[in-house]
Amino acid sequence: MGGLFFRDFDFGIGDGLLHRRRQLHPLALPAACTRTDLAGAPLARILSSSLALTPGTRLGVYEVAAQIGEGGMGQVYRATDTRLKRQVAIKILPPSVAADSDRLARFQREAEVLASLNHPNIAGIYGLEESDGVSALVMELVDGEDLSQRIARGAMPIDEALPIAKQIADALEAAHEQGIIHRDLKPANVKVKPDGTVKVLDFGLAKAMDVGPGGANGPGGLSMSPTLSMHATQAGIILGTAAYMAPEQARGKTVDKRADIWAFGVVLFEMLTGSQPFPGEDLSHVLARVIERDPDWSALPPALSPTLGTYLRRCLVKDPRERIRDIGDVRLALTGAFETASPTSTTPESPIPIPVPAWRSQLPWANAAAALAAAAVLMLWAPWRETAPLRVTRATLTFSGPAALTLNDSGHDIALSPDGTHLFYVGNNSTQLFVRGLDALEPIAIASVGGGGMRDPFVSPDGQWVGFVNGNTLSLQKVAITGGAPTTIAQADSVVRGASWAADDTIIFATLKADTGLLRVSARGGPIDVLTRPDREHGEADHLWPEVLPGGRAVVFTITSQTGGLDTAKVVVRDLRTGAQTILVRGGSDAHYVPSGHLVYIAAGALRAIPFDLDRLETHGSARSMLPLISATAAGAGGFAVANDGTLVYVDQPGGVAVNARTLVWVDRVGKEEAIAAPPRAYNQPRLSPDGTRVAVWSNDQTSDIWIWDLKRKTLNPLTLDPAEDQHPLWTPDGQRIIFSSNRGGVFNLWWQAADGTGEAEQLTKNSDGGEFASGVTPDGTTAVFFKNTGTTTGRDLLRLALDGTRRVTPLLQTMFDEREGVVSPDGRWLAFQSSMAGSTEIYVRPFPNVSGGQWRVSTAGGSRPLWARSGNELFYLGVDGSLMQVSVDAKGAAWNHRAPIKLFEQRYFVGGNSGRSYDVSPDGQRFLMLKAPGTETSTASPALILVQHWDTELKRLVPTK
């Protein structure tokens, strides 16, 4: 059989696979048809044929990479947004069916419905694009497997199923609150990303709920529109996939949000049991079971709580009038909110018990009398009563699983909304931003970045937006507190160290660039203005951690010194109208204003407070320690946040032990752990010496020095003792020297020092813009590979430094994407590195030193921080969830070959921020040097936060302002 064929798939929103119609169709090509013939053709004409768009085709600002599906609703492509440098999915309605008014209306409705849904668990829409007569829906591209693929491997454990189910419920609740129902919820329409985030896909078949006569459910409304997803696309057929349709939907009746609740129950049942509750051999058989039969409830796991079992049964009640009416109630049940309220005698078959408040049992006149009496007492008492001071309350907040708090050691990890109602924090190994309303039980992920680059959240004055730093792209971004696709505000030219949102809708932020201090940009984007410049002639190093004061008249910030570390740092206030600067505190950093009339800041490891006159912009009186031990980074960022209502939140340090204290451990290939006797410190970036006898490790505390642990002698000695920050250690192949990054010259350049600590450190590079971090050395020891932001691309680039007397720096790999963590193979022929070119951070390999000789992607679902085994036959890297991944390599001559990645062991160890490898491998390749927080068995044991409400009351009492 000759000729070309294409495979027909049904796809939904995003790149989620829905029904997989595996059919081969002949593709007839004109005899004279060539790529040249199509190159200049309008898109509409190309699509009107049976040909798919070819890679490189442009649709507006979107460049097609590959087709990922085709079905009755149009073709789906993976594409690159060339303007914002991100990967998207575009769904195209072919011109051959554009004349179908019903199809066209469905396509338009798909865009309108998705555009109104802005939630972290709903695949978002970026816009509609029209070009050359072609309409395309531009959507969020969601990686990961869909839930049907996971269920196909068998029933899911309860502790795996419930977090996924809760996120699905969150998505449905958000849609229902906007009057939108899905009507086609099923496992294939649920994507589970590698980091555990759930995305509900394909709201394109959703409809607005009944809005009265003539509304969505009125005559001619949406209820009788669209299609059965068992490959029928003609109008008038019952909508939805049969196995997940509610009985009323199967009968062709009008449906509301209770149909989604039914479908949710079916999906949850299937997750917990691995089987469908209404199986059947064909469509009629399935529909009959949905309408007439009950699920096999005995298939549910015995460990499922009776209360949750009751809620699941109530999701699958056939009469919608008796079914649970609000998916929010199911979401609460999934969190265990009703466990203590349900009587132990409740059986799974019994109705959900609803406690009746005592007052409802009283007669109406009795209630009225009591209310009148209470009002009379208040009227008599109120004029003479004194206002009681608000009571200070403290509570511990803990988070676990993907929502675990991450301390990234380089900036702020927490923030509060100005009114103190919402807590924002960095979690999931610095890949996600979470929000938790202080009146809510659980946090919600509202933004994600790959590669562990999430840092420094800061909130808009109205509390509706939260900004953050994307450390991967060195950019400021913002997202609505309800979640959605982040928007880039500004592209920085160096590492960002703090940002603050002013009332005039501008943002003041700081970077580590040598010749600039504080910068200002509109929250809507635009040009960046320089506000301050460090006075290097008088010893200033950087201007960091800005906070705009109320009214926007002034900003407080920290000035660090070229010598003396944080002990010589100063808190300064700058009048933004006059440019006048005044030193407020010496020996302090990271100051924040509290409306009680205080300035709070970090000094000598403590949280201190001093009275501050906002009108005169000056401190007065004496400072006092409020918390004797507070988490702080080497650059002086404090682990705390304060709100205008006097709320304080800070990172707990139980027993006076630093929360970022970690130990070194060996872990073998099956996950068996062996402790190393080095005392706990804020270790990061451990590096084994070539002979495997010593470990160079950065201690990221307020000293920020490099230490050497001798594995045989069991001794820990400092390699560097200067007041600057020294990090990113790297052994030379002969074990005689250690290359590292240091800002002792004012910016981060490359230095090296004899590994035995003798002699003076020597500066290797002297670039004024700094931000240079070494990641690899060639086997012959002649060249170091490092990464930095060169200012010519959108991210970091790889460069090489000659380690001979010339100290010559030359470009190695510079692209429009972010490349870092370059490591050369033991035979010197291959370069492994991580890059953002695929939209997510992935591991790639290129020939070395001729990096233009080819490229191979090694990781399949995200990865960072590659490392070669000493044999050169294996490559390791960290998965997006922090798991250690292994890739077998068979590279002979100029040919590169590798096998699929496999997981060696789960993420139980500290993985660091978005820069610097947090592990190493033994010379024999059988053990891995990992970092572990003391006293915790898994990384899901997140650091806790202490929430103090009405803390300003305590401030006023202990630190009087008059």
Side-chain angles (χ1 to χ4, degrees):
M1 180 176 62
L4 296 178
F5 293 78
F6 70 92
R7 185 182 296 274
D8 186 17
F9 290 93
D10 266 347
F11 273 74
I13 301 302
D15 63 347
L17 182 58
L18 295 185
H19 316 301
R20 294 201 176 192
R21 293 191 301 172
R22 295 183 176 87
Q23 301 177 30
L24 290 176
H25 304 278
L27 181 58
L29 293 178
C33 182
T34 66
R35 176 178 289 271
T36 303
D37 295 325
L38 294 174
L43 288 176
R45 183 160 62 85
I46 295 175
L47 288 170
S48 65
S49 70
S50 298
L51 292 175
L53 294 180
T54 57
T57 302
R58 292 291 290 266
L59 181 66
V61 299
Y62 302 99
E63 183 174 301
V64 172
Q67 183 174 355
I68 54 177
E70 182 173 4
M73 283 299 292
Q75 297 164 327
V76 183
Y77 296 87
R78 177 187 292 265
T80 299
D81 184 335
T82 59
R83 180 175 52 199
L84 298 179
K85 306 300 185 296
R86 63 180 175 185
Q87 297 293 296
V88 299
I90 58 174
K91 187 173 190 177
I92 295 175
L93 188 63
S96 60
V97 297
D100 186 328
S101 60
D102 185 51
R103 276 274 179 89
L104 196 59
R106 286 168 54 195
F107 187 74
Q108 178 68 25
R109 186 173 69 254
E110 188 170 25
E112 294 171 354
V113 169
L114 271 177
S116 68
L117 297 177
N118 186 5
H119 190 272
N121 297 122
I122 296 175
I125 178 173
Y126 299 146
L128 274 172
E129 185 75 19
E130 294 187 2
S131 177
D132 291 336
V134 174
S135 296
L137 189 62
V138 185
M139 301 161 290
E140 178 182 0
L141 184 66
V142 184
D143 290 320
E145 66 177 1
D146 67 53
L147 195 54
S148 67
Q149 294 169 307
R150 170 60 187 89
I151 293 174
R153 298 197 297 269
M156 301 169 62
I158 293 176
D159 59 355
E160 179 186 355
L162 297 191
I164 294 175
K166 179 187 173 299
Q167 293 181 72
I168 299 173
D170 279 337
L172 292 176
E173 185 177 17
H176 292 175
E177 287 177 351
Q178 295 191 46
I180 298 167
I181 58 176
H182 192 292
R183 291 202 303 170
D184 197 23
L185 180 67
K186 55 194 173 190
N189 277 349
V190 177
K191 272 291 191 78
V192 182
K193 298 175 65 178
D195 62 6
T197 302
V198 168
K199 292 281 187 178
V200 180
L201 311 174
D202 203 16
F203 272 87
L205 298 182
K207 74 173 185 66
M209 286 185 289
D210 191 4
V211 292
N217 289 342
L222 301 178
S223 62
M224 296 305 294
S225 66
T227 68
L228 183 71
S229 60
M230 286 193 171
H231 321 317
T233 54
Q234 65 273 28
I237 298 181
I238 302 170
L239 175 67
T241 300
Y244 304 92
M245 294 191 327
E248 65 272 22
Q249 193 175 7
R251 292 187 176 99
K253 296 183 178 180
T254 299
V255 298
D256 58 19
K257 65 181 182 179
R258 290 170 294 182
D260 278 354
I261 294 174
W262 170 280
F264 174 86
V266 176
V267 171
L268 180 55
F269 183 97
E270 195 169 342
M271 291 166 65
L272 292 170
T273 65
S275 59
Q276 291 186 343
F278 306 104
E281 297 176 358
D282 53 33
L283 175 60
S284 60
H285 195 189
V286 171
L287 293 178
R289 283 183 173 272
V290 168
I291 296 172
E292 300 172 0
R293 303 282 185 90
D294 287 327
D296 179 9
W297 298 115
S298 65
L300 291 174
L304 189 69
S305 76
T307 301
L308 193 52
T310 298
Y311 273 83
L312 177 54
R313 289 169 181 267
R314 285 296 176 187
C315 288
L316 295 178
V317 173
K318 297 187 185 300
D319 186 345
R321 296 172 300 177
E322 302 298 324
R323 196 178 304 149
I324 289 177
R325 293 177 176 268
D326 196 328
I327 194 66
D329 293 335
V330 184
R331 176 181 58 80
L332 289 173
L334 289 166
T335 66
F338 304 129
E339 294 298 330
T340 57
S342 299
T344 56
S345 60
T346 300
T347 64
E349 291 80 7
S350 63
I352 299 172
I354 302 176
V356 180
W359 59 268
R360 286 196 181 274
S361 63
Q362 307 298 320
L363 294 175
W365 60 264
N367 288 324
L372 288 172
V377 170
L378 288 173
M379 291 176 64
L380 291 171
W381 174 60
W384 293 278
R385 72 183 179 90
E386 295 183 359
T387 302
L390 296 173
R391 178 174 297 176
V392 178
T393 61
R394 288 174 168 81
T396 300
L397 305 179
T398 58
F399 311 96
S400 60
L405 169 67
T406 301
L407 300 180
N408 63 42
D409 288 347
S410 59
H412 297 110
D413 306 299
I414 54 179
L416 285 168
S417 60
D419 60 5
T421 60
H422 290 81
L423 166 69
F424 302 88
Y425 70 93
V426 175
N428 202 7
N429 288 315
S430 297
T431 62
Q432 289 185 296
L433 180 66
F434 290 85
V435 59
R436 177 181 163 181
L438 297 186
D439 60 351
L441 294 175
E442 296 290 337
I444 297 173
I446 58 173
S448 300
V449 300
M454 179 70 70
R455 289 196 293 106
D456 288 304
F458 58 99
V459 190
S460 63
D462 62 6
Q464 297 305 302
W465 292 86
V466 57
F468 61 90
V469 175
N470 185 334
N472 295 323
T473 59
L474 298 181
S475 60
L476 287 178
Q477 299 182 335
K478 66 179 181 180
V479 66
I481 67 168
T482 54
T487 301
T488 296
I489 301 170
Q491 181 65 53
D493 53 12
S494 185
V495 177
V496 179
R497 288 292 170 90
S500 180
W501 202 315
D504 64 356
D505 209 30
T506 61
I507 293 169
I508 295 179
F509 65 103
T511 73
L512 292 183
K513 190 173 182 182
D515 59 349
T516 61
L518 302 187
L519 306 164
R520 180 164 54 191
V521 66
S522 168
R524 295 180 295 277
I528 298 174
D529 299 323
V530 178
L531 294 181
T532 68
R533 297 182 188 274
D535 185 353
R536 301 212 171 263
E537 291 185 0
H538 291 85
E540 291 184 3
D542 289 300
H543 294 177
L544 311 172
W545 317 125
E547 178 173 281
V548 181
L549 295 176
R553 169 190 168 191
V555 58
V556 292
F557 62 99
T558 301
I559 296 179
T560 59
S561 174
Q562 295 178 22
T563 60
L566 292 179
D567 290 339
T568 57
K570 301 182 289 285
V571 173
V572 176
V573 63
R574 180 182 179 88
D575 190 317
L576 294 173
R577 298 175 299 180
T578 67
Q581 288 186 186
T582 305
I583 297 175
L584 301 176
V585 175
R586 295 183 184 273
S589 68
D590 198 13
H592 298 263
Y593 176 75
V594 184
S596 58
H598 295 89
L599 205 64
V600 295
Y601 59 94
I602 297 292
L607 180 64
R608 300 175 66 85
I610 190 170
F612 179 72
D613 189 319
L614 184 61
D615 294 326
R616 303 180 66 177
L617 297 181
E618 62 183 25
T619 57
H620 58 89
S622 300
R624 174 166 180 164
S625 176
M626 301 299 295
L627 291 172
L629 188 63
I630 189 77
S631 172
T633 71
F640 74 100
V642 291
N644 291 340
D645 71 341
T647 300
L648 166 73
V649 63
Y650 64 93
V651 180
D652 188 20
Q653 299 196 100
V657 178
V659 293
N660 58 351
R662 293 177 278 271
T663 54
L664 299 168
V665 294
W666 287 114
V667 184
D668 67 15
R669 286 176 173 261
V670 296
K672 184 179 179 181
E673 188 178 292
E674 178 186 340
I676 294 175
R681 296 183 71 101
Y683 297 130
N684 198 356
Q685 302 163 359
R687 298 292 181 268
L688 280 164
S689 60
D691 61 3
T693 63
R694 291 166 293 169
V695 179
V697 61
W698 169 38
S699 184
N700 190 17
D701 49 26
Q702 293 189 9
T703 65
S704 191
D705 283 316
I706 295 172
W707 295 70
I708 303 293
W709 171 256
D710 192 305
L711 290 164
K712 292 182 178 180
R713 296 185 177 92
K714 295 182 172 55
T715 57
L716 182 68
N717 295 299
L719 177 72
T720 61
L721 286 173
D722 64 289
E725 296 181 57
D726 304 320
Q727 53 182 266
H728 283 71
L730 183 67
W731 294 87
T732 56
D734 60 7
Q736 298 300 307
R737 292 180 177 271
I738 291 177
I739 302 169
F740 60 95
S741 296
S742 177
N743 65 351
R744 61 185 70 188
V747 294
F748 277 103
N749 289 137
L750 300 184
W751 297 64
W752 70 0
Q753 167 108 24
D756 61 5
T758 60
E760 298 293 327
E762 178 187 352
Q763 188 169 359
L764 300 175
T765 60
K766 296 182 180 181
N767 295 297
S768 61
D769 52 354
E772 300 170 336
F773 304 98
S775 55
V777 180
T778 55
D780 59 9
T782 62
T783 304
V785 176
F786 67 99
F787 57 93
K788 66 174 295 183
N789 189 299
T790 60
T792 59
T793 62
T794 58
R796 293 174 177 86
D797 296 311
L798 297 180
L799 299 94
R800 49 188 169 185
L801 166 70
L803 295 177
D804 56 19
T806 67
R807 304 287 188 263
R808 183 167 176 256
V809 173
T810 55
L812 178 59
L813 182 60
Q814 292 182 315
T815 74
M816 61 187 295
F817 304 104
D818 185 272
E819 286 87 25
R820 67 177 82 180
E821 308 293 346
V823 285
V824 180
S825 62
D827 61 7
R829 296 189 301 110
W830 305 101
L831 175 73
F833 61 97
Q834 68 184 60
S835 173
S836 63
M837 68 182 67
S840 57
T841 301
E842 304 285 354
I843 304 298
Y844 297 86
V845 167
R846 289 192 181 208
F848 182 86
N850 179 25
V851 295
S852 61
Q855 177 173 284
W856 298 267
R857 176 170 161 177
V858 173
S859 59
T860 56
S864 64
R865 285 159 276 199
L867 171 65
W868 294 95
R870 305 287 176 91
S871 65
N873 296 326
E874 293 178 291
L875 189 62
F876 308 104
Y877 66 90
L878 293 179
V880 292
D881 62 351
S883 299
L884 187 65
M885 308 296 292
Q886 180 267 351
V887 177
S888 295
V889 173
D890 180 17
K892 298 177 181 179
W896 169 265
N897 292 286
H898 70 276
R899 296 184 180 179
I902 62 173
K903 184 183 296 186
L904 290 182
F905 48 82
E906 298 290 339
Q907 189 265 319
R908 297 179 297 172
Y909 304 97
F910 178 77
V911 298
N914 63 312
S915 178
R917 179 165 40 83
S918 58
Y919 69 100
D920 209 340
V921 63
S922 61
D924 64 4
Q926 298 306 305
R927 297 194 300 175
F928 300 90
L929 184 63
M930 310 297 292
L931 298 171
K932 182 179 178 183
T936 61
E937 292 305 317
T938 70
S939 64
T940 57
S942 165
L945 295 177
I946 303 299
L947 176 71
V948 188
Q949 293 184 298
H950 310 306
W951 184 62
D952 55 341
T953 300
E954 197 169 87
L955 264 179
K956 294 173 185 177
R957 178 174 58 85
L958 297 176
V959 190
T961 58
K962 295 181 180 180

